[in-house]
Amino acid sequence: MSSTYEMVSRRLRITGVPRSVRIVPSALLALALTACSGGVHGTPGGPGVHDPYFPKAGNGGYDVGHYDLRLAYDPHGAGRLTGTATLTARATQNLSAFDLDLKGLDVQEVTVEGRSARFNRAGQELTVRPHDDLDDGETFRVTVRYSGTPQTITDPDGSQEGWLPTTDGALALGEPTGAMAWFPGDNHPSDKASYDIAVTVPKGLQAVSNGELTGETTTGARTTFTWHTPEPMASYLATVAVGRYDIGRSTIGEDRLPVYVAVDPTQAKASREVLAQLPAIIEWEEYNFGPYPFSSTGAIVDDAKDVGYALETQNRPVFPSAPDTGTLVHELAHQWYGDSVTPKSWRDMWLNEGFATYAEWLWDEDHGGHTAQQTFDALYAHGEDDHPGLWSFPPAKPSGAAHISDAPVYERGAMVLHKIRETVGDDTFYDIVQGWAAAHRHGNADTADFTAYVEKSAPDKNFAPIWKQWLYGEGKPAHP
C-alpha cells in the first residue's frame, strides 16, 4: 500500500437484521449456543483472532479454503448491493457456532451444508449456529444471502476503505479491514483462500476484480463479469472496481504471463507512459525477487482521487489516478512481499512496506537514479524533514492501529533491509530476498520468521545490532 502519508510526503505522486431474529446480548448468546441438550460436543469459535491492532478481525474455529461471491450492483439511485457468498471451510475444532465478519448490510438467510442455520448480528460479527455441530477437521459450506447499501469505513489513520463510490461506479478496497463492508468472511490476513467473484452491473459498465476473467455475459440490460483467483489471497487484497474502463490485454515474456489493465478514460492519457513500463518492471522484479507468484498481472487505474492511496490488490494493484513509475514499482513488488508472502498479523506490516519501498530504491539504483546507499544516507541525515515521525517507533513495533502505515514502517523498514545488504553483500542479499519469497510462497510469515531466515542464510554474520537498533530499537540509531 502507498499510504496517505506516503502520498503527501512524495508530493502526491498519484497527479440489518431480519424481523424474525431476536437480538441476544453476546454473553447470553454464547450461553444459548452452548447450552443445548444431548449430543452437543462443540463450542463456539472465537469472534476474533486477537490481532494486536485489530482484535475483532478474523474469527476462530475454522479455516476458509474458497470464497464464491455472486454480487449485483447498480451505482445509480441508492447504490444497492445484493450478494450471495458461499464459503467452503474446514473446522479446526468441534464447533457449535462460528462467526463471520460483516459490517452493515442486511442478512436475509444463512445455510450450512444446505440446511437453514440460526444467526445473530452484533457489530461486525455475524454469528452462525448450524443445525448440527461441526466436527474438528470437517469441511463444510456456509452460504449467506445479503443486501443493502455497502459502507465506506474510516480507518484509525483517517483514510477510507470498504465500498467507495466513484463518479461512474464504485471501488472496493480492503486494507486493513474493509473487505467486511461488501462480503462476509474470515477477515484477517492469516486466513487466505482462493476466490470466484461474479459481479452483475448495468449494461455499458464493467466490473474488474482479481485473478483471470473467465466469463462475460449480457442478458437484457445487465452484464455479468466472472473472475477466478486460483492462488490463496488474503481478504484485504480482494477488490471489485465498477465503472467505465479502457481495457488493455497483453502478455509478458516467454511464459506469456497474462496482463489485464483497466483504466478510467479520464486517466488514460496521463497513465499511458507509466503503464507501458509494466512489462519491464515485472521482468526486472522477477530477476531480483524470483518468479512472479501469480497467474496474471495488471493494474486498475480509476478516477477516485479522494481515496488518496494506491493498494496492492492481488494480481492488479489499484491506483486512484495516474501513477508514477515509483508507485507502480512499489505496488507490483507487493505481489511478492505482502500478497504471496502475507503477514501473520498487522504488526508485521513492515515485511510488506519495507520490501516494497526498498524495491523503489533498487529500481532507482538500476535505472540511473540515486543508489540505495545514497537514499539511505539522505534519510538518515534529513529523514525527518520529508518524513515526520521517521524515528517515532521501530518498524517491527508500530505504536498503534493508526500508525501501521506510517514512515517507520515504510522508510525505516527499507533501511533494515539495506543494513542486511551492507552486512552480507549483494550476492547473499539477493539470495535472501529471493529465498524468503520462495520459502513462504502463498503463505504467511512474521518478523521472527524473517530474522530467523536471515540468520540461517548467513550464519557467519552478526545481525544482533541490526535487530536491536534498526528493527526493534526506539529512536534514531546513533550511527548510520
Short mmCIF file of all heavy atoms in Angstrom, two decimals, residues 224-265:
data_model
loop_
_atom_site.label_atom_id
_atom_site.label_comp_id
_atom_site.label_asym_id
_atom_site.label_seq_id
_atom_site.Cartn_x
_atom_site.Cartn_y
_atom_site.Cartn_z
N THR A 224 -22.78 -9.67 -16.62
CA THR A 224 -22.10 -10.33 -15.51
C THR A 224 -20.66 -10.63 -15.91
O THR A 224 -20.41 -11.25 -16.95
CB THR A 224 -22.82 -11.64 -15.13
OG1 THR A 224 -24.16 -11.34 -14.72
CG2 THR A 224 -22.09 -12.35 -13.99
N PHE A 225 -19.74 -10.19 -15.06
CA PHE A 225 -18.31 -10.47 -15.24
C PHE A 225 -17.89 -11.46 -14.16
O PHE A 225 -18.16 -11.25 -12.97
CB PHE A 225 -17.50 -9.18 -15.11
CG PHE A 225 -17.81 -8.15 -16.16
CD1 PHE A 225 -18.89 -7.28 -16.01
CD2 PHE A 225 -17.02 -8.05 -17.31
CE1 PHE A 225 -19.17 -6.32 -16.98
CE2 PHE A 225 -17.30 -7.10 -18.28
CZ PHE A 225 -18.38 -6.24 -18.12
N THR A 226 -17.23 -12.54 -14.57
CA THR A 226 -16.83 -13.59 -13.63
C THR A 226 -15.31 -13.69 -13.58
O THR A 226 -14.65 -13.80 -14.62
CB THR A 226 -17.42 -14.95 -14.06
OG1 THR A 226 -18.84 -14.81 -14.19
CG2 THR A 226 -17.12 -16.02 -13.02
N TRP A 227 -14.76 -13.66 -12.37
CA TRP A 227 -13.31 -13.65 -12.15
C TRP A 227 -12.92 -14.81 -11.26
O TRP A 227 -13.63 -15.14 -10.30
CB TRP A 227 -12.88 -12.34 -11.52
CG TRP A 227 -13.10 -11.14 -12.40
CD1 TRP A 227 -14.26 -10.42 -12.54
CD2 TRP A 227 -12.15 -10.54 -13.27
NE1 TRP A 227 -14.08 -9.41 -13.45
CE2 TRP A 227 -12.79 -9.46 -13.92
CE3 TRP A 227 -10.81 -10.81 -13.58
CZ2 TRP A 227 -12.15 -8.65 -14.85
CZ3 TRP A 227 -10.16 -10.01 -14.49
CH2 TRP A 227 -10.83 -8.94 -15.11
N HIS A 228 -11.76 -15.41 -11.55
CA HIS A 228 -11.27 -16.56 -10.79
C HIS A 228 -9.85 -16.30 -10.32
O HIS A 228 -8.96 -15.96 -11.12
CB HIS A 228 -11.30 -17.82 -11.65
CG HIS A 228 -10.71 -19.03 -10.99
ND1 HIS A 228 -11.25 -19.60 -9.85
CD2 HIS A 228 -9.61 -19.79 -11.30
CE1 HIS A 228 -10.52 -20.64 -9.49
NE2 HIS A 228 -9.53 -20.78 -10.34
N THR A 229 -9.63 -16.46 -9.00
CA THR A 229 -8.30 -16.33 -8.41
C THR A 229 -7.92 -17.68 -7.83
O THR A 229 -8.40 -18.07 -6.76
CB THR A 229 -8.30 -15.26 -7.29
OG1 THR A 229 -8.71 -14.01 -7.83
CG2 THR A 229 -6.91 -15.12 -6.68
N PRO A 230 -7.04 -18.44 -8.51
CA PRO A 230 -6.73 -19.79 -8.04
C PRO A 230 -5.76 -19.81 -6.86
O PRO A 230 -5.80 -20.75 -6.05
CB PRO A 230 -6.10 -20.45 -9.28
CG PRO A 230 -5.51 -19.32 -10.06
CD PRO A 230 -6.42 -18.14 -9.82
N GLU A 231 -4.89 -18.82 -6.76
CA GLU A 231 -3.90 -18.83 -5.68
C GLU A 231 -4.50 -18.23 -4.40
O GLU A 231 -5.42 -17.42 -4.45
CB GLU A 231 -2.65 -18.03 -6.07
CG GLU A 231 -1.94 -18.54 -7.30
CD GLU A 231 -2.40 -17.86 -8.58
OE1 GLU A 231 -3.34 -17.04 -8.50
OE2 GLU A 231 -1.83 -18.16 -9.64
N PRO A 232 -3.98 -18.64 -3.24
CA PRO A 232 -4.51 -18.11 -1.98
C PRO A 232 -4.40 -16.58 -1.93
O PRO A 232 -3.39 -16.00 -2.36
CB PRO A 232 -3.62 -18.76 -0.92
CG PRO A 232 -3.08 -19.99 -1.56
CD PRO A 232 -2.91 -19.64 -3.02
N MET A 233 -5.44 -15.95 -1.39
CA MET A 233 -5.47 -14.49 -1.30
C MET A 233 -6.07 -14.08 0.04
O MET A 233 -7.09 -14.61 0.47
CB MET A 233 -6.30 -13.90 -2.46
CG MET A 233 -6.44 -12.38 -2.42
SD MET A 233 -7.14 -11.72 -3.96
CE MET A 233 -8.82 -12.34 -3.91
N ALA A 234 -5.42 -13.13 0.70
CA ALA A 234 -5.98 -12.56 1.92
C ALA A 234 -7.18 -11.69 1.58
O ALA A 234 -7.21 -11.05 0.52
CB ALA A 234 -4.92 -11.74 2.66
N SER A 235 -8.15 -11.62 2.47
CA SER A 235 -9.37 -10.88 2.17
C SER A 235 -9.11 -9.41 1.91
O SER A 235 -9.81 -8.79 1.09
CB SER A 235 -10.37 -11.04 3.32
OG SER A 235 -9.82 -10.61 4.56
N TYR A 236 -8.10 -8.81 2.54
CA TYR A 236 -7.85 -7.39 2.33
C TYR A 236 -7.32 -7.09 0.93
O TYR A 236 -7.30 -5.92 0.51
CB TYR A 236 -6.91 -6.83 3.41
CG TYR A 236 -5.43 -7.07 3.21
CD1 TYR A 236 -4.63 -6.16 2.52
CD2 TYR A 236 -4.80 -8.19 3.76
CE1 TYR A 236 -3.26 -6.35 2.37
CE2 TYR A 236 -3.44 -8.39 3.62
CZ TYR A 236 -2.68 -7.47 2.93
OH TYR A 236 -1.32 -7.68 2.78
N LEU A 237 -6.90 -8.11 0.21
CA LEU A 237 -6.37 -7.92 -1.14
C LEU A 237 -7.43 -8.13 -2.22
O LEU A 237 -7.13 -7.93 -3.40
CB LEU A 237 -5.21 -8.88 -1.37
CG LEU A 237 -4.01 -8.68 -0.45
CD1 LEU A 237 -3.00 -9.81 -0.60
CD2 LEU A 237 -3.34 -7.34 -0.72
N ALA A 238 -8.64 -8.52 -1.83
CA ALA A 238 -9.72 -8.69 -2.80
C ALA A 238 -10.25 -7.31 -3.21
O ALA A 238 -10.32 -6.40 -2.40
CB ALA A 238 -10.84 -9.54 -2.21
N THR A 239 -10.64 -7.18 -4.47
CA THR A 239 -11.16 -5.90 -4.94
C THR A 239 -12.23 -6.11 -6.00
O THR A 239 -12.27 -7.16 -6.66
CB THR A 239 -10.03 -5.03 -5.54
OG1 THR A 239 -10.53 -3.70 -5.77
CG2 THR A 239 -9.51 -5.59 -6.85
N VAL A 240 -13.10 -5.13 -6.12
CA VAL A 240 -14.02 -5.01 -7.23
C VAL A 240 -14.03 -3.55 -7.65
O VAL A 240 -14.14 -2.66 -6.80
CB VAL A 240 -15.45 -5.46 -6.87
CG1 VAL A 240 -16.45 -5.01 -7.93
CG2 VAL A 240 -15.52 -6.97 -6.71
N ALA A 241 -13.87 -3.30 -8.95
CA ALA A 241 -13.96 -1.95 -9.49
C ALA A 241 -15.07 -1.92 -10.53
O ALA A 241 -15.02 -2.69 -11.50
CB ALA A 241 -12.63 -1.53 -10.12
N VAL A 242 -16.06 -1.09 -10.31
CA VAL A 242 -17.20 -0.97 -11.22
C VAL A 242 -17.17 0.40 -11.87
O VAL A 242 -17.02 1.43 -11.17
CB VAL A 242 -18.54 -1.18 -10.49
CG1 VAL A 242 -19.71 -0.92 -11.42
CG2 VAL A 242 -18.61 -2.58 -9.89
N GLY A 243 -17.28 0.45 -13.18
CA GLY A 243 -17.28 1.73 -13.88
C GLY A 243 -17.05 1.53 -15.36
O GLY A 243 -17.20 0.43 -15.90
N ARG A 244 -16.65 2.61 -16.02
CA ARG A 244 -16.29 2.54 -17.44
C ARG A 244 -14.77 2.58 -17.54
O ARG A 244 -14.13 3.49 -17.00
CB ARG A 244 -16.92 3.71 -18.20
CG ARG A 244 -18.44 3.63 -18.26
CD ARG A 244 -19.05 4.80 -19.03
NE ARG A 244 -20.50 4.63 -19.17
CZ ARG A 244 -21.39 5.01 -18.25
NH1 ARG A 244 -20.95 5.60 -17.13
NH2 ARG A 244 -22.67 4.81 -18.45
N TYR A 245 -14.21 1.62 -18.25
CA TYR A 245 -12.75 1.50 -18.33
C TYR A 245 -12.31 1.21 -19.76
O TYR A 245 -13.03 0.54 -20.52
CB TYR A 245 -12.25 0.36 -17.42
CG TYR A 245 -12.60 0.54 -15.97
CD1 TYR A 245 -13.67 -0.15 -15.39
CD2 TYR A 245 -11.87 1.41 -15.17
CE1 TYR A 245 -14.00 0.03 -14.07
CE2 TYR A 245 -12.20 1.60 -13.83
CZ TYR A 245 -13.27 0.90 -13.29
OH TYR A 245 -13.60 1.08 -11.97
N ASP A 246 -11.14 1.72 -20.09
CA ASP A 246 -10.44 1.27 -21.28
C ASP A 246 -9.66 0.03 -20.88
O ASP A 246 -8.86 0.07 -19.94
CB ASP A 246 -9.48 2.36 -21.79
CG ASP A 246 -10.20 3.59 -22.31
OD1 ASP A 246 -11.39 3.47 -22.65
OD2 ASP A 246 -9.57 4.66 -22.35
N ILE A 247 -9.89 -1.07 -21.57
CA ILE A 247 -9.28 -2.35 -21.20
C ILE A 247 -8.12 -2.67 -22.13
O ILE A 247 -8.25 -2.59 -23.36
CB ILE A 247 -10.31 -3.50 -21.26
CG1 ILE A 247 -11.51 -3.17 -20.36
CG2 ILE A 247 -9.67 -4.81 -20.86
CD1 ILE A 247 -11.17 -3.02 -18.89
N GLY A 248 -6.98 -3.04 -21.55
CA GLY A 248 -5.83 -3.49 -22.32
C GLY A 248 -5.45 -4.89 -21.94
O GLY A 248 -5.34 -5.21 -20.74
N ARG A 249 -5.26 -5.76 -22.94
CA ARG A 249 -4.84 -7.14 -22.69
C ARG A 249 -3.54 -7.40 -23.45
O ARG A 249 -3.41 -7.03 -24.60
CB ARG A 249 -5.91 -8.14 -23.13
CG ARG A 249 -7.21 -8.09 -22.36
CD ARG A 249 -8.19 -9.11 -22.91
NE ARG A 249 -9.42 -9.22 -22.16
CZ ARG A 249 -10.51 -8.49 -22.38
NH1 ARG A 249 -10.49 -7.56 -23.34
NH2 ARG A 249 -11.59 -8.66 -21.67
N SER A 250 -2.60 -8.08 -22.79
CA SER A 250 -1.34 -8.42 -23.43
C SER A 250 -0.71 -9.58 -22.66
O SER A 250 -1.35 -10.15 -21.76
CB SER A 250 -0.39 -7.22 -23.46
OG SER A 250 -0.10 -6.75 -22.14
N THR A 251 0.51 -9.94 -22.99
CA THR A 251 1.26 -10.96 -22.25
C THR A 251 2.68 -10.48 -22.05
O THR A 251 3.16 -9.58 -22.73
CB THR A 251 1.26 -12.32 -22.99
OG1 THR A 251 1.88 -12.14 -24.27
CG2 THR A 251 -0.15 -12.86 -23.16
N ILE A 252 3.38 -11.13 -21.11
CA ILE A 252 4.76 -10.78 -20.78
C ILE A 252 5.62 -12.03 -20.89
O ILE A 252 5.29 -13.08 -20.32
CB ILE A 252 4.88 -10.21 -19.36
CG1 ILE A 252 4.11 -8.89 -19.23
CG2 ILE A 252 6.35 -9.97 -18.99
CD1 ILE A 252 4.08 -8.35 -17.81
N GLY A 253 6.76 -11.90 -21.57
CA GLY A 253 7.79 -12.92 -21.55
C GLY A 253 7.46 -14.19 -22.30
O GLY A 253 6.39 -14.35 -22.89
N GLU A 254 8.42 -15.11 -22.22
CA GLU A 254 8.27 -16.39 -22.91
C GLU A 254 7.13 -17.22 -22.35
O GLU A 254 6.51 -18.01 -23.07
CB GLU A 254 9.58 -17.18 -22.82
CG GLU A 254 10.75 -16.52 -23.56
CD GLU A 254 12.02 -17.35 -23.45
OE1 GLU A 254 11.97 -18.40 -22.76
OE2 GLU A 254 13.04 -16.95 -24.04
N ASP A 255 6.84 -17.05 -21.07
CA ASP A 255 5.74 -17.80 -20.45
C ASP A 255 4.39 -17.17 -20.73
O ASP A 255 3.37 -17.72 -20.33
CB ASP A 255 5.95 -17.89 -18.94
CG ASP A 255 7.18 -18.72 -18.57
OD1 ASP A 255 7.56 -19.57 -19.39
OD2 ASP A 255 7.74 -18.50 -17.48
N ARG A 256 4.39 -16.02 -21.40
CA ARG A 256 3.16 -15.33 -21.80
C ARG A 256 2.23 -15.10 -20.62
O ARG A 256 1.05 -15.46 -20.62
CB ARG A 256 2.46 -16.10 -22.92
CG ARG A 256 3.32 -16.28 -24.17
CD ARG A 256 2.56 -16.92 -25.31
NE ARG A 256 1.49 -16.05 -25.79
CZ ARG A 256 1.66 -15.01 -26.60
NH1 ARG A 256 2.88 -14.68 -27.02
NH2 ARG A 256 0.62 -14.30 -27.00
N LEU A 257 2.80 -14.49 -19.58
CA LEU A 257 2.02 -14.12 -18.40
C LEU A 257 0.92 -13.14 -18.82
O LEU A 257 1.21 -12.07 -19.36
CB LEU A 257 2.93 -13.48 -17.35
CG LEU A 257 2.24 -12.95 -16.09
CD1 LEU A 257 1.75 -14.11 -15.21
CD2 LEU A 257 3.19 -12.05 -15.30
N PRO A 258 -0.36 -13.46 -18.56
CA PRO A 258 -1.44 -12.56 -18.97
C PRO A 258 -1.40 -11.23 -18.20
O PRO A 258 -1.16 -11.21 -16.99
CB PRO A 258 -2.71 -13.34 -18.65
CG PRO A 258 -2.28 -14.77 -18.55
CD PRO A 258 -0.89 -14.73 -18.02
N VAL A 259 -1.64 -10.16 -18.94
CA VAL A 259 -1.71 -8.82 -18.36
C VAL A 259 -3.09 -8.24 -18.67
O VAL A 259 -3.52 -8.24 -19.83
CB VAL A 259 -0.63 -7.89 -18.93
CG1 VAL A 259 -0.70 -6.50 -18.29
CG2 VAL A 259 0.76 -8.50 -18.75
N TYR A 260 -3.78 -7.76 -17.65
CA TYR A 260 -5.11 -7.16 -17.82
C TYR A 260 -5.07 -5.81 -17.12
O TYR A 260 -4.91 -5.73 -15.90
CB TYR A 260 -6.18 -8.06 -17.22
CG TYR A 260 -7.61 -7.64 -17.51
CD1 TYR A 260 -8.35 -8.26 -18.51
CD2 TYR A 260 -8.23 -6.63 -16.77
CE1 TYR A 260 -9.68 -7.89 -18.77
CE2 TYR A 260 -9.54 -6.25 -17.02
CZ TYR A 260 -10.25 -6.88 -18.02
OH TYR A 260 -11.56 -6.52 -18.28
N VAL A 261 -5.22 -4.74 -17.90
CA VAL A 261 -5.16 -3.38 -17.37
C VAL A 261 -6.48 -2.68 -17.65
O VAL A 261 -6.97 -2.70 -18.78
CB VAL A 261 -4.00 -2.59 -18.00
CG1 VAL A 261 -4.00 -1.15 -17.53
CG2 VAL A 261 -2.66 -3.26 -17.66
N ALA A 262 -7.07 -2.08 -16.62
CA ALA A 262 -8.31 -1.33 -16.75
C ALA A 262 -8.05 0.11 -16.31
O ALA A 262 -7.61 0.35 -15.19
CB ALA A 262 -9.41 -1.95 -15.89
N VAL A 263 -8.33 1.06 -17.21
CA VAL A 263 -8.02 2.47 -16.94
C VAL A 263 -9.27 3.31 -17.18
O VAL A 263 -9.89 3.23 -18.25
CB VAL A 263 -6.88 2.97 -17.84
CG1 VAL A 263 -6.52 4.42 -17.50
CG2 VAL A 263 -5.65 2.07 -17.69
N ASP A 264 -9.62 4.13 -16.20
CA ASP A 264 -10.70 5.09 -16.41
C ASP A 264 -10.31 6.01 -17.56
O ASP A 264 -9.18 6.49 -17.61
CB ASP A 264 -10.92 5.90 -15.13
CG ASP A 264 -12.15 6.79 -15.21
OD1 ASP A 264 -12.06 7.83 -15.92
OD2 ASP A 264 -13.16 6.49 -14.57
N PRO A 265 -11.22 6.25 -18.51
CA PRO A 265 -10.86 7.07 -19.68
C PRO A 265 -10.30 8.44 -19.32
O PRO A 265 -9.47 8.98 -20.06
CB PRO A 265 -12.19 7.19 -20.45
CG PRO A 265 -12.96 5.97 -20.05
CD PRO A 265 -12.60 5.71 -18.62
#
